[in-house]
Amino acid sequence: MAALTREETEALIQEVLEVYPDKAKKDRAKHLMVNDKELESSKKCITSNRKSLPGVMTMRGCAYAGSKGVVWGPIKDMISISHGPIGCGQYARGGRRNYYVGTTGVDTFCEMNFTSDFQEKDIVFGGDKKLAKLINEIELLFPLNKGISIQSECPVGLIGDDIEAVAKKAAAQINKPVVPVRCEGFRGVSQSLGHHIANDSVRDWIISNRDGQAFEKTPYDVAILGDYNIGGDAWASRILLEEMGLRVVAQWSGDGTLAEMENTPNVKLNLLHCYRSMNYISRHMEEKYGIPWLEYNFFGPTKIAESLRKIASYFDDRIKEGAERVIEKYTPAMNEVIAKFKPRLKGKKVMLYVGGLRPRHVVGAYEDLGMEVVGTGYEFAHNDDYDRTIKDMGEATLIYDDATGHELDEFVKAMKPDLIGSGIKEKYVFHKMGFPFRQMHSWDYSGPYHGYDGFAVFAKDMDLTLNNPCWKLIQAPWTKPAVEAVQEAA
Amino acid sequence: MANIMIRSSDKGYVFYLPKRDLEASIESIEFDTPEKWGGELKLDNGGSYYIEPQVKPARLPISLRARRLGAVED
Ligand code: SF4
């Protein structure tokens, strides 16, 4: 049962659109839909990956964020230079909580901010010299780095610096890969193009580095793609794959290394968790090296079991038995988790607004706990994401693409969910409105949420948030009577 | 002309246009024999593309140059 009927949901969309001027209304109407499971393609009902409407609040990031923040940043033994003014890197630093093992500043570098710190004179005279100097400095101070990537910020593209030339020269000098990435923030409509650009630069500068070199293969080699080890996610996934008998050659890119990425063309199967950010390189490896790729979902026991079996179907009986063994081993523990938390969470309604893969992937985990996702949406999805979402969502649920601040507020007010899962930009507004809220980009300082271990943490977190007595005590400041406000001010 | 990629899935051929991140199922392909393969591709999103007929590729996916037929779909 959805929270609202199809007609009610449609009426709600119309009501929310009412406040916009005609042109904006027409544009935004295309980004909102009521789910219809019968549909094969989302194309007719929802438009996505379009420029955000000027004048409304959007929750999107930029191409630089997609490349540096998501794809390149978590590679632990490479140094990613934020090339341009200092702010882009500094304000985004460490925000995604990509865990890794290593000694920061010695052999691993994710938490540090390397930047060329552009000043006015660099804009006027160009930043190439500074970049070359910076690379030498890095080499001197951090000799254990395995390679360098240059992440362009907006000004680099605007002033027309030739970072490719600098990169080539530097690479020859230091004898390590130096990768120029043209991910200036103004490219594309969201961080999504940044993922694509980052994938393309991996394809052009990294993936074929070890072609023709000897590698000790086994028939059970796989790579994890699109897992950024947020709060330890990739670790919780990796142990399951290893327990079923597979050998994980590479993790892309959470807690991953350059060597792992270079070795990936040797695997038998690429396992793709975040389709949005790494489908590009998977497609490339499929074409060039004949490695098939498989989308899987490690949120919640139902989906995990399904995924483990799907993965095993690509291998022989040993792995198939391994998958069954793993599922059997963890089922009692999972049943305990469900027995404990389901009674406290059953029937509760959730609204999501996240990016990447989560708006559809976490639905199964909520359903395992007896909860229902009544509305979902992506910040920067494309139509292929919505095609995949339609099947996972309940009938008549609300779906919103690149939702604006106004739309989210109004949807929440009308649908009154018991829990909202979204990002840091939405968090405090909904807190003030008195809605239980989880930050679902980096798990609100918790995690992991992937895998069986992750599900236990997930269930506990949802319970802690949802059943916290504090929500009832909150009254939004803007709904307090005016008199009180005056008295307070006095 | 655009660069496209064709791969096969359990539901038939899949069309992919990297430039626009567009993925769509191919509903029909004009020629689908080992000797002659290609021609007009009709997509499930209403678009259609044309690839030079050629010998069927030994392995999919394959990147090809294609020409768009008809109006631009979004
Ligand atoms: S849009 Fe440009 S200036 Fe802003 S954070 Fe992104 S790269 Fe930096």
Side-chain angles (χ1 to χ4, degrees):
Chain A
M1 251 312 281
L4 303 172
T5 63
R6 172 170 298 277
E7 289 71 38
E8 282 169 331
T9 317
E10 265 156 18
L12 173 62
I13 293 180
Q14 287 315 319
E15 194 189 312
V16 167
L17 288 171
E18 220 34 65
V19 301
Y20 291 128
D22 281 345
K23 202 166 156 226
K25 189 166 151 187
K26 211 171 128 218
D27 180 278
R28 286 304 307 161
K30 293 188 213 144
H31 294 263
L32 306 170
M33 74 177 268
V34 185
N35 195 29
D36 180 352
K37 281 183 108 124
E38 300 296 299
L39 287 173
E40 273 304 319
S41 151
S42 61
K43 232 199 117 275
K44 303 236 158 52
C45 310
I46 199 157
T47 306
S48 54
N49 199 32
R50 289 287 184 280
K51 202 167 123 22
S52 303
L53 204 62
V56 296
M57 240 198 303
T58 166
M59 311 299 173
R60 284 174 164 175
C62 67
Y64 159 83
S67 176
K68 157 72 169 62
V70 176
V71 177
W72 281 99
I75 307 169
K76 61 179 176 179
D77 58 0
M78 283 187 85
I79 288 178
S80 294
I81 302 172
S82 298
H83 188 37
I86 197 164
C88 314
Q90 184 59 18
Y91 290 108
R93 177 177 161 199
R96 275 174 60 85
R97 304 175 57 250
N98 313 99
Y99 285 6
Y100 57 93
V101 193
T103 311
T104 305
V106 179
D107 57 359
T108 47
F109 309 95
C110 300
E111 273 170 13
M112 301 170 75
N113 179 20
F114 294 86
T115 172
S116 45
D117 187 17
F118 264 32
Q119 304 295 314
E120 240 175 280
K121 73 171 193 329
D122 302 312
I123 304 287
V124 177
F125 298 110
D128 285 345
K129 279 213 186 84
K130 196 173 196 179
L131 180 62
K133 193 170 156 216
L134 170 64
I135 293 174
N136 281 331
E137 226 169 78
I138 285 178
E139 204 38 33
L140 189 72
L141 293 173
F142 305 99
L144 294 185
N145 79 74
K146 294 282 159 50
I148 291 170
S149 75
I150 304 163
Q151 309 285 330
S152 315
E153 294 165 8
C154 287
V156 175
L158 297 171
I159 61 177
D161 272 8
D162 190 359
I163 56 169
E164 284 80 10
V166 180
K168 277 206 187 105
K169 218 169 130 201
Q173 242 171 38
I174 66 175
N175 202 18
K176 287 175 187 171
V178 179
V179 185
V181 190
R182 283 288 182 183
C183 57
E184 288 91 347
F186 57 74
R187 293 185 200 275
V189 297
S190 66
Q191 53 268 63
S192 182
L193 189 67
H195 306 142
H196 196 158
I197 294 170
N199 276 236
D200 287 355
S201 55
V202 170
R203 176 195 68 198
D204 295 341
W205 299 83
I206 301 288
I207 201 80
S208 50
N209 282 3
R210 296 197 183 185
D211 281 6
Q213 273 183 36
F215 180 83
E216 256 184 63
K217 291 186 197 184
T218 78
Y220 304 117
D221 291 353
V222 295
I224 299 180
L225 263 55
D227 193 324
Y228 301 102
N229 206 28
I230 291 165
D233 278 342
W235 295 330
S237 309
R238 182 183 183 121
I239 53 167
L240 300 181
L241 299 172
E242 285 174 347
E243 263 187 79
M244 68 192 260
L246 297 172
R247 186 171 80 145
V248 180
V249 173
Q251 270 172 238
W252 291 53
S253 53
D255 195 33
T257 62
L258 178 63
E260 287 175 30
M261 296 178 91
E262 290 173 338
N263 280 330
T264 308
N266 293 305
V267 302
K268 277 261 157 333
L269 177 66
N270 275 325
L271 302 174
L272 183 58
H273 206 245
C274 179
Y275 168 84
R276 183 71 275 135
S277 61
M278 281 202 177
N279 76 77
Y280 317 99
I281 196 74
S282 316
R283 289 175 199 275
H284 172 71
M285 284 194 263
E286 186 180 34
E287 183 175 13
K288 182 158 181 206
Y289 301 100
I291 306 169
W293 49 279
L294 175 71
E295 289 170 60
Y296 70 107
N297 177 355
F298 269 6
F299 285 103
T302 311
K303 289 288 172 191
I304 298 175
E306 225 172 76
S307 297
L308 288 175
R309 292 197 176 109
K310 205 159 78 176
I311 294 167
S313 73
Y314 280 73
F315 296 93
D316 59 14
D317 286 344
R318 205 186 112 186
I319 303 296
K320 286 187 187 122
E321 278 154 30
E324 295 307 323
R325 201 177 53 238
V326 172
I327 296 168
E328 203 176 305
K329 176 179 160 192
Y330 287 95
T331 302
M334 289 303 106
N335 288 342
E336 247 172 65
V337 171
I338 292 173
K340 182 167 173 196
F341 292 107
K342 196 168 174 178
R344 300 169 60 85
L345 296 169
K346 212 170 142 196
K348 301 286 187 200
K349 298 195 230 70
V350 190
M351 267 178 84
L352 298 170
Y353 180 58
V354 222
L357 69 158
R358 290 168 184 147
R360 63 173 177 276
H361 267 42
V362 296
V363 172
Y366 282 115
E367 282 172 356
D368 283 336
L369 292 168
M371 299 166 80
E372 191 198 3
V373 179
V374 295
T376 198
Y378 299 80
E379 289 169 18
F380 52 82
H382 300 217
N383 270 69
D384 39 5
D385 291 298
Y386 287 104
D387 289 344
R388 289 162 169 78
T389 312
I390 292 174
K391 302 285 162 220
D392 282 341
M393 296 297 299
E395 193 63 25
T397 46
L398 180 62
I399 300 183
Y400 27 92
D401 176 70
D402 185 25
T404 67
H406 160 72
E407 286 160 17
L408 280 184
D409 286 3
E410 295 306 315
F411 288 148
V412 165
K413 277 187 215 153
M415 304 184 72
K416 299 197 183 52
D418 300 290
L419 178 70
I420 301 169
S422 190
I424 199 76
K425 298 168 205 133
E426 297 86 30
K427 179 171 177 166
Y428 299 101
V429 177
F430 292 125
H431 270 181
K432 285 179 186 168
M433 286 162 78
F435 283 101
F437 185 98
R438 285 298 301 184
Q439 201 266 87
M440 292 298 278
H441 285 277
S442 57
W443 311 144
D444 241 345
Y445 314 104
S446 180
Y449 283 179
H450 292 179
Y452 287 116
D453 291 336
F455 181 68
V457 181
F458 174 84
K460 187 190 80 187
D461 282 354
M462 294 308 136
D463 176 45
L464 280 178
T465 306
L466 212 154
N467 291 315
N468 192 318
C470 73
W471 306 113
K472 293 189 195 69
L473 307 174
I474 298 176
Q475 190 187 11
W478 57 88
T479 58
K480 282 190 188 149
V483 194
E484 228 177 282
V486 173
Q487 273 169 358
E488 250 170 49
Chain B
M1 293 293 260
N3 276 318
I4 63 151
M5 188 189 265
I6 295 179
R7 56 194 293 267
S8 54
S9 77
D10 39 353
K11 289 193 207 88
Y13 293 124
V14 183
F15 171 94
Y16 177 64
L17 177 60
K19 180 98 201 216
R20 289 175 49 215
D21 280 333
L22 190 126
E23 193 184 46
S25 318
I26 296 178
E27 277 183 339
S28 71
I29 177 164
E30 199 175 342
F31 309 108
D32 196 5
T33 58
E35 307 82 52
K36 196 176 185 194
W37 183 85
E40 189 180 344
L41 310 172
K42 283 214 167 60
L43 309 181
D44 68 339
N45 65 10
S48 55
Y49 282 79
Y50 180 83
I51 51 174
E52 249 350 284
Q54 52 181 287
V55 179
K56 190 172 180 167
R59 204 180 75 185
L60 289 176
I62 184 170
S63 289
L64 296 162
R65 303 278 290 163
R67 192 154 44 84
R68 193 173 59 222
L69 302 170
V72 60
E73 74 286 345
D74 55 11

